[in-house]
Amino acid sequence: MTKTVEEPAVDKLNHVQSGGVHKEAKKPRVKQAKYAMLLGYQGKKYYGMQLQKDLPTIESKLLEAMEKAGWITAAQREKPFDFFFQRAARTDRAVSAARQMCGMQLPRDDEKYKVDGPGILNNLLPNDIRVFGMKRTINFFHPQKQCDYRTYSYTCPTFVFAKPTELTNAAFRISQETLAEVNDILSIYKGTHNFFNYTAKRAYDDMSSNRYIVSFECKEPFLFRDEFRKEDVEFIQIVVKGQSFVLHQIRKMVGMVITVVRELHLKSAIQRSFEGQRMDIPMAPGLGLLLERTHYDSYDKKHSKDHEPLTDWGEIIEKEVERTKFELITKDMLETELLSQGMLKWLADLVHHDFSSNPEAEEPEKKTFVTMAAACANKALKEQEATSSEAPEASEGAPEGAPEVACAPEAAAPELAAAPEKPQIEEEEKVAAAGSS
C-alpha cells in the first residue's frame, strides 16, 4: 500500500508555515493633515504655474524641491493629485505672483512644515521662486474652490495712454484728465459680464464665460530710473479684483482700454464686446501682469476659532512678501520693460489691429495717427464751411462763445485742421510760376 504524504499548503497571504499562522506586520498608520503654502515667483522664465510635461513651470520646480526634501515620493511628484496638491490660480506663461496659494496633504508635522518648511524649500528652489510660509488648514481645504476673490495688477509705462496728438516716449507724463478717463473706462468692466471675447475657444452661450469684477482702477503714477538711457520713465499700475478670471481676460481688458484711450476704437465697443458678436480684442504683453493676492474672507470668518487666517499672514511675513515683491518681481519687471521696449513694440502693431473676427468681412481700412489726423482735419474743415454758410456776415475769426469742434474717436489732431489747404497753396504757386515764365 502506497503511503500518501500530504505536503503542507502554502498560503501566500497569511504565510502559513509548519502549521502556524504568521500575519504580515502592518505598517504604522501615518496621520495626514492639510497644509496651505504661500509663495511668490518671477514668472518670465516659466511656462505658467501648472505642471506641463517637459516644460519648466513653477509647479515642476516646487514639486522637485519637495521630493528632494523628502516630503513626497517620486510617484507623487509625477502625479501631484495623489497628495491633493492644488493651486489657487493658474497663472499664464511669463506671469508673476506675489501671493500664490497652494494646498496639499502631507504627514502631520506642524513643526516641520510651519517652522522649518519655508527655509528648507527655499534652499532647494531657484532664486526666482520663494516660499513665505505654511499653515495647517481644515481637512477639506481647496485653495481654488474656497478662494473668494483674486487681485491682479498690471504695470506699464504711462505713455501707453498717450493721445494721438502726444508723443509716445519716455518723456510722456500722464495728466489727471487722462487718468480720470482711464478710470472711467475701467469702471465699465465692473459687475458681471460675458467675457467670451476676452478668452479663447468659448462661445457666447458658454455660461463659464460670465465673470464678476469687484473693482478695477488705475493707481497714481510713479517714476523709475532707466539707468541705461539716463532718464526717468513714468509707470502706472492698474489693479483689478474679481471672483475669478478666464484665460487671457485681464491682458485683453487692459489691451482694450489702451486702444480706447489712444482713440483707436470707440468707447462703446467695450459694451458691445459683452454681446453676441465675435470681436478680436488685442492682448497686452504678459510681462506687466502680477497676481497680487488671493482672498479667503469666507474661510477665515468660518474657521477663525480653530484655524489661522489665510488672507493675512501676519506683519512679519507680509513685510517679507512686499520686500521680495519689489526686489524679485517689480524691479525686474520694470528693468526688463525698459531694456526690451516690449510695450513700444506692441503699440507699434496696435494701430494695425483688426477687430473683426469674420474672415469673410471686407478688409478694414488701416488706421494710423496720420490718417486719423487727416480725418479730424477734414471734419473740422467741413464744420467750419457749414458755419460760414449759415453766417455769411461773420468775421474770419471764430465768434466769441462758439462751440468747440469735437473730433470723432477716429479723428486725432485738431491742430492739423489747416492741412487740406496745402493743395490750394501749391496750385497758386504753380499759377504764379507759369505767369513769371
Side-chain angles (χ1 to χ4, degrees):
M1 183 174 178
T2 306
K3 186 177 180 180
T4 303
V5 179
E6 186 176 351
E7 293 289 334
V10 179
D11 190 332
K12 294 183 179 180
L13 179 63
N14 296 317
H15 300 281
V16 179
Q17 295 177 351
S18 303
V21 178
H22 301 280
K23 292 185 178 180
E24 185 177 354
K26 291 183 178 180
K27 294 181 180 180
R29 184 172 178 269
V30 179
K31 292 185 177 181
Q32 303 286 312
K34 264 293 187 69
Y35 290 90
M37 177 188 292
L38 182 70
L39 69 153
Y41 48 84
Q42 168 56 260
K44 70 176 184 179
K45 295 180 181 178
Y46 302 98
Y47 285 76
M49 172 70 186
Q50 197 169 10
L51 193 66
Q52 298 185 53
K53 187 177 180 180
D54 301 326
L55 289 175
T57 66
I58 304 300
E59 284 186 9
S60 66
K61 297 297 181 182
L62 181 60
L63 294 171
E64 180 182 338
M66 292 176 68
E67 183 191 1
K68 289 181 179 179
W71 293 11
I72 60 174
T73 64
Q76 289 175 320
R77 174 188 169 185
E78 294 298 323
K79 296 182 178 180
F81 189 72
D82 287 352
F83 68 105
F84 302 100
F85 181 90
Q86 297 120 355
R87 86 291 305 161
R90 293 182 296 177
T91 51
D92 300 341
R93 179 180 180 180
V95 176
S96 303
R99 296 175 182 84
Q100 172 71 280
M101 188 77 71
C102 292
M104 62 204 74
Q105 182 175 283
L106 298 169
R108 191 169 69 185
D109 191 337
D110 290 1
E111 183 76 15
K112 176 181 179 180
Y113 302 120
K114 292 173 60 178
V115 179
D116 303 324
I120 293 173
L121 292 181
N122 286 334
N123 289 333
L124 299 171
L125 285 166
N127 292 331
D128 51 7
I129 304 176
R130 298 289 89 185
V131 174
F132 299 118
M134 296 185 68
K135 290 182 179 181
R136 269 279 299 277
T137 67
I138 62 172
N139 291 333
F140 299 102
F141 171 69
H142 195 295
Q144 186 260 328
K145 293 181 180 179
Q146 291 177 293
C147 180
D148 296 315
Y149 304 105
R150 297 158 181 84
T151 297
Y152 283 83
S153 68
Y154 191 89
T155 305
C156 58
T158 58
F159 60 62
V160 301
F161 298 120
K163 297 292 184 179
T165 54
E166 298 173 312
L167 292 177
T168 302
N169 58 24
F172 177 84
R173 298 294 182 264
I174 193 170
S175 65
Q176 287 299 314
E177 181 183 1
T178 301
L179 186 60
E181 180 188 1
V182 173
N183 279 316
D184 179 61
I185 296 172
L186 291 173
S187 67
I188 300 175
Y189 287 101
K190 292 168 64 175
T192 301
H193 300 286
N194 189 325
F195 287 96
F196 82 106
N197 270 323
Y198 291 78
T199 187
K201 298 179 181 180
R202 296 206 189 192
Y204 174 71
D205 56 0
D206 187 343
M207 296 304 294
S208 65
S209 299
N210 291 335
R211 300 295 158 130
Y212 175 59
I213 304 296
V214 179
S215 60
F216 207 179
E217 60 179 341
C218 197
K219 301 295 185 180
E220 289 295 320
F222 62 92
L223 295 177
F224 187 79
R225 185 69 175 175
D226 186 344
E227 296 296 343
F228 179 74
R229 298 175 180 84
K230 304 301 180 184
E231 59 185 359
D232 290 330
V233 182
E234 189 178 64
F235 283 83
I236 206 162
Q237 190 180 67
I238 302 171
V239 180
V240 57
K241 180 180 179 181
Q243 199 170 39
S244 60
F245 302 92
V246 292
L247 180 68
H248 303 322
Q249 178 184 338
I250 299 175
R251 291 166 62 187
K252 281 181 172 283
M253 289 192 297
V254 172
M256 190 63 168
V257 172
I258 292 173
T259 302
V260 172
V261 175
R262 291 178 74 86
E263 301 181 4
L264 294 172
H265 214 312
L266 297 169
K267 182 179 176 181
S268 59
I270 297 179
Q271 184 59 44
R272 291 202 306 272
S273 69
F274 303 141
E275 300 167 1
Q277 183 179 357
R278 178 65 71 178
M279 185 183 298
D280 183 14
I281 295 175
M283 183 168 64
L287 178 64
L289 187 59
L290 170 65
L291 173 60
E292 291 279 354
R293 184 184 292 275
T294 50
H295 302 262
Y296 294 89
D297 302 332
S298 299
Y299 173 93
D300 293 344
K301 184 178 180 180
K302 185 176 181 179
H303 304 285
S304 59
K305 294 182 179 180
D306 49 6
H307 286 87
E308 298 174 280
L310 297 181
T311 302
D312 186 356
W313 285 66
E315 184 178 356
I316 296 177
I317 290 182
E318 290 295 336
K319 283 185 176 179
E320 178 62 18
V321 170
E322 288 298 324
R323 185 194 68 81
T324 306
K325 172 186 166 182
F326 178 76
E327 294 295 332
L328 178 64
I329 304 172
T330 306
K331 184 179 179 181
D332 183 82
M333 184 187 296
L334 300 178
E335 290 176 344
T336 302
E337 172 59 37
L338 294 174
L339 182 64
S340 66
Q341 300 289 298
M343 187 56 77
L344 273 177
K345 296 174 183 176
W346 181 78
L347 290 174
D349 292 332
L350 183 61
V351 294
H352 304 298
H353 185 82
D354 178 10
F355 286 81
S356 173
S357 292
N358 183 6
E360 298 179 358
E362 295 182 1
E363 182 70 15
E365 180 183 356
K366 299 298 183 181
K367 296 178 182 179
T368 66
F369 285 169
V370 176
T371 60
M372 290 188 296
C376 185
N378 290 332
K379 181 179 177 66
L381 183 61
K382 289 179 180 178
E383 293 186 3
Q384 184 179 4
E385 291 175 349
T387 304
S388 300
S389 62
E390 292 175 2
E393 296 180 358
S395 60
E396 292 182 355
E400 186 175 353
E404 294 181 359
V405 177
C407 294
E410 290 81 5
E415 292 89 340
L416 301 180
E421 296 179 6
K422 185 175 180 180
Q424 183 179 352
I425 296 173
E426 293 177 350
E427 191 67 25
E428 291 175 357
E429 290 177 350
K430 290 179 181 179
V431 174
S436 62
S437 59

